[in-house]
Amino acid sequence: MKFILSFLKKILLASYTIYYSFFIRYIMKKLVKLLSTISATFVALFFLSSCEDNSSKSDKLINIEGYVINQNGELINGAVVKIYNTENVYARDTTNELGNFSLIGIPETATSLRIAANASGYSFYDISYIAAKSIMKDGKLPIMLMKEDLCCNAVHIIVKDSKTNESIKNAQVKLAKLKTDWKIYSNTNADGIAIFDSICEGSYWIRVAIDGYVVKEEDLQLDSCITRTIELKMDKIEKDSCCTSKVKIWVKDQSNEIIKNATVKLWKNGVKIDSRVTENGYAVFEGLCKGNYGFSISADHYKGQEFDYEISCDEFKEFTKNLIKDQDSCCNGKIYIGLKSPNGELIKNATVKLWKNGVKIAYKTSENGYVTFSELCEGNYGISITADHFKPYEFDFEIACNESKEIAKTLEYDEKDTCYSASLKIFAKDVDNKTVLSGAKVIIKLDGVVIYEGTTNDDGYIKKEPLKAPANYLIIVSKESYDIKQFEMKLTDCKAYQETASLKKQ
């Protein structure tokens, strides 16, 4: 009996040990699983926290401010400015009356950003953000747009010796716009030619000078997109002929303040032989021979003045002439003309000409939808208006003594079945390796007239908008060391068109 009880006790103890061992294992498994869950949760929370930190950094936004002007330094209202890359347009703004724009909310981490600007009547502008930062002034980005329609003239000046007819190289040629401070210089090349491109409409004068020759000048009028070739023949200065004298004439008012843009004419034997405009308050005549000369001076709102002078051999003479203010007090009239389309939008880049007694006396462009003519004398005037896509318009008006008038005109559309909001993107690529070509020259012509001229950007394309449709356009793409590509494109609707010009290496 004792033996049986001892045997049962051992069996119970073994069972308890086995059960306890399984219980401990079960508890340990549960504990390991619980710790694994806690660890995973902790790791997930850690990474979520890290992601939130990185996200807050990537969401940092920057702003870019600037202004848009044309090549004359005039502020442009209504220009569209945007910042973009191949994936998104991040911000867009339209310039106000002061030409200012603000691009707001640009992600700091965005890459390959570019800034583009366009306005009606101006060439398309595109620059990388990196390059834009380098030209910022006082934290603002200046953008200059070049006029397309009015600055499409070219002037070629050919300078030759009057006796031998040989080309004269290295002569300095000055092209200046009358009644403005605008001027540009160029020297004649080996063929005696000086070339000026992208010149705006207006009245100009040309001045050619080189040692050993008498200075040569000539007036020039540019009215449309043309190439003017002018041949000027220069006379050599004979060292012993007394043709080296010089006269400088200062033109001032009664307060001894200089008068800019006065016209000084030089006469000899009753014939006008030269003319100058007082850009800085004076006019200079050089290479004058011995003899008697007459000088006449005129300026707006001043009484004219004339005088004679006997020039001796190899002389330098300086005069100061004070003009008297014209007593006609009825020449301070002004007219303000606003131009709108039938739907009420301002018409930009219309040409407005002012006429009096059948003679055109001034013209301006409605850059912001309006023009102003001032300093008008009492009398009757005429106005003629032309604008792309609108019918020509004319009207007469009368200005009383020192009167100011405001006139609003609505122009009618010229072609009812034509739209003017098409766009064209031209890519330039290497035909062999298929890479894009930046800096390729692109010319777009409509009816034989150049309406766009520019170069492809870093991404190898230009974009021109708005364009007329339906219409046939001639596209000419060229790049140094490549063959020229020329083709036609028909734009049938007002939508976005795209074409690639594949150029072959020469």
Side-chain angles (χ1 to χ4, degrees):
M1 189 65 173
K2 184 184 287 187
F3 172 79
I4 293 172
L5 289 173
S6 177
F7 178 77
L8 290 173
K9 186 176 180 179
K10 288 180 179 181
I11 291 175
L12 287 173
L13 182 59
S15 299
Y16 177 80
T17 301
I18 293 170
Y19 173 82
Y20 181 78
S21 175
F22 278 110
F23 178 78
I24 292 299
R25 287 184 187 176
Y26 174 81
I27 293 298
M28 288 300 292
K29 285 182 179 181
K30 291 292 185 182
L31 184 59
V32 169
K33 188 174 183 180
L34 179 61
L35 289 174
S36 298
T37 301
I38 292 173
S39 298
T41 302
F42 176 79
V43 171
L45 289 173
F46 174 80
F47 280 109
L48 282 173
S49 175
S50 299
C51 289
E52 288 176 359
D53 290 342
N54 291 335
S55 176
S56 64
K57 289 180 181 178
S58 65
D59 287 340
K60 185 177 180 181
L61 304 177
I62 59 176
N63 302 327
I64 300 172
E65 294 184 347
Y67 55 91
V68 180
I69 58 175
N70 61 25
Q71 65 265 44
N72 296 325
E74 300 165 332
L75 297 168
I76 298 177
N77 180 17
V80 177
V81 185
K82 66 179 181 180
I83 185 165
Y84 70 101
N85 59 16
T86 54
E87 298 175 353
N88 293 299
V89 174
Y90 291 97
R92 185 193 306 264
D93 193 22
T94 302
T95 56
N96 59 21
E97 293 180 354
L98 299 177
N100 295 325
F101 66 87
S102 296
L103 302 175
I104 300 173
I106 305 149
E108 189 179 42
T109 56
T111 58
S112 302
L113 289 174
R114 303 191 66 81
I115 296 175
N118 67 286
S120 178
Y122 292 88
S123 298
F124 186 76
Y125 178 96
D126 191 277
I127 190 173
S128 69
Y129 176 52
I130 295 174
K133 288 195 295 185
S134 67
I135 62 173
M136 284 186 177
K137 299 177 181 179
D138 300 323
K140 291 185 178 294
L141 174 63
I143 293 177
M144 179 182 291
L145 299 184
M146 304 298 291
K147 288 183 180 179
E148 288 181 343
D149 298 332
L150 296 181
C151 299
C152 51
N153 294 284
V155 181
H156 297 179
I157 310 296
I158 303 173
V159 182
K160 293 184 177 181
D161 186 290
S162 61
K163 291 185 178 180
T164 66
N165 209 39
E166 294 181 353
S167 299
I168 300 176
K169 64 178 181 180
N170 294 325
Q172 185 190 70
V173 182
K174 176 182 179 181
L175 181 66
K177 193 170 187 179
L178 296 179
K179 297 186 178 181
T180 72
D181 292 329
W182 186 92
K183 53 187 174 291
I184 190 170
Y185 296 86
S186 179
N187 286 351
T188 55
N189 58 22
D191 298 318
I193 302 174
I195 298 176
F196 300 93
D197 290 319
S198 301
I199 305 301
C200 304
E201 290 185 0
S203 300
Y204 295 83
W205 62 278
I206 303 164
R207 182 178 190 273
V208 184
I210 188 171
D211 289 343
Y213 286 86
V214 179
V215 172
K216 187 79 172 182
E217 290 193 346
E218 187 166 314
D219 293 335
L220 173 65
Q221 181 69 39
L222 298 175
D223 291 321
S224 58
C225 293
I226 59 174
T227 297
R228 290 286 301 275
T229 301
I230 300 172
E231 183 174 283
L232 298 178
K233 294 190 176 182
M234 304 187 69
D235 298 321
K236 273 191 174 180
I237 297 174
E238 302 296 336
K239 296 298 182 181
D240 56 351
S241 65
C242 288
C243 290
T244 60
S245 294
K246 179 178 178 181
V247 175
K248 184 176 184 178
I249 301 172
W250 287 91
V251 182
K252 299 183 179 182
D253 61 18
Q254 291 176 289
S255 301
N256 218 37
E257 296 291 329
I258 64 171
I259 299 176
K260 293 184 177 181
N261 300 318
T263 300
V264 184
K265 297 178 181 179
L266 177 66
W267 302 79
K268 191 173 185 181
N269 300 325
V271 177
K272 186 187 78 172
I273 60 174
D274 209 344
S275 179
R276 297 281 193 279
V277 175
T278 58
E279 291 184 70
N280 299 302
Y282 62 85
V284 176
F285 298 94
E286 299 178 281
L288 301 181
C289 301
K290 182 179 180 181
N292 189 55
Y293 291 84
F295 300 87
S296 62
I297 307 171
S298 61
D300 290 343
H301 314 308
Y302 290 88
K303 290 183 177 180
Q305 190 174 141
E306 297 179 356
F307 69 98
D308 296 325
Y309 182 71
E310 183 80 24
I311 295 176
S312 60
C313 188
D314 195 21
E315 178 185 10
F316 172 69
K317 183 67 177 179
E318 190 168 2
F319 297 95
T320 297
K321 297 296 179 179
N322 297 89
L323 303 188
I324 299 174
K325 196 78 172 179
D326 196 336
Q327 296 303 311
D328 184 358
S329 60
C330 285
C331 288
N332 290 315
K334 179 184 290 187
I335 183 170
Y336 174 98
I337 304 171
L339 303 177
K340 291 187 177 181
S341 66
N343 59 11
E345 295 180 350
L346 292 173
I347 300 175
K348 299 179 181 180
N349 299 313
T351 299
V352 183
K353 297 179 180 179
L354 178 67
W355 302 79
K356 189 172 186 181
N357 300 325
V359 178
K360 183 180 72 174
I361 59 175
Y363 75 92
K364 292 188 177 181
T365 302
S366 61
E367 294 186 3
N368 297 304
Y370 62 87
V371 297
T372 301
F373 294 101
S374 56
E375 299 182 352
L376 301 181
C377 298
E378 183 178 11
N380 295 312
Y381 294 84
I383 290 288
S384 62
I385 305 168
T386 56
D388 289 342
H389 323 313
F390 294 90
K391 293 181 179 179
Y393 191 90
E394 295 182 357
F395 66 93
D396 298 325
F397 68 95
E398 183 178 357
I399 286 285
C401 185
N402 297 334
E403 180 186 11
S404 292
K405 278 190 173 182
E406 292 187 11
I407 298 177
K409 294 294 181 181
T410 300
L411 305 188
E412 298 180 7
Y413 287 118
D414 190 21
E415 301 168 283
K416 298 186 182 300
D417 297 329
T418 303
C419 58
Y420 300 93
S421 57
S423 66
L424 180 58
K425 182 183 283 189
I426 302 294
F427 284 86
K429 288 187 177 181
D430 187 298
V431 70
D432 295 318
N433 57 31
K434 309 301 181 185
T435 57
V436 298
L437 299 174
S438 62
K441 185 177 181 180
V442 180
I443 296 175
I444 302 177
K445 289 185 176 182
L446 176 62
D447 298 328
V449 177
V450 176
I451 63 169
Y452 174 83
E453 184 172 340
T455 55
T456 55
N457 58 24
D458 292 343
D459 295 320
Y461 72 87
I462 63 97
K463 185 176 182 181
K464 169 62 179 169
E465 58 182 354
L467 290 174
K468 171 184 173 182
N472 289 322
Y473 294 87
L474 177 65
I475 316 297
I476 304 170
V477 184
S478 61
K479 187 175 174 63
E480 187 176 358
S481 74
Y482 283 85
D483 290 336
I484 296 176
K485 182 77 172 181
Q486 180 172 306
F487 57 94
E488 289 188 353
M489 284 195 68
K490 183 173 183 178
L491 277 56
T492 57
D493 302 296
C494 274
K495 62 182 182 180
Y497 290 82
Q498 181 173 307
E499 188 60 70
T500 299
S502 298
L503 306 186
K504 185 173 183 60
K505 200 88 170 177
Q506 293 178 347

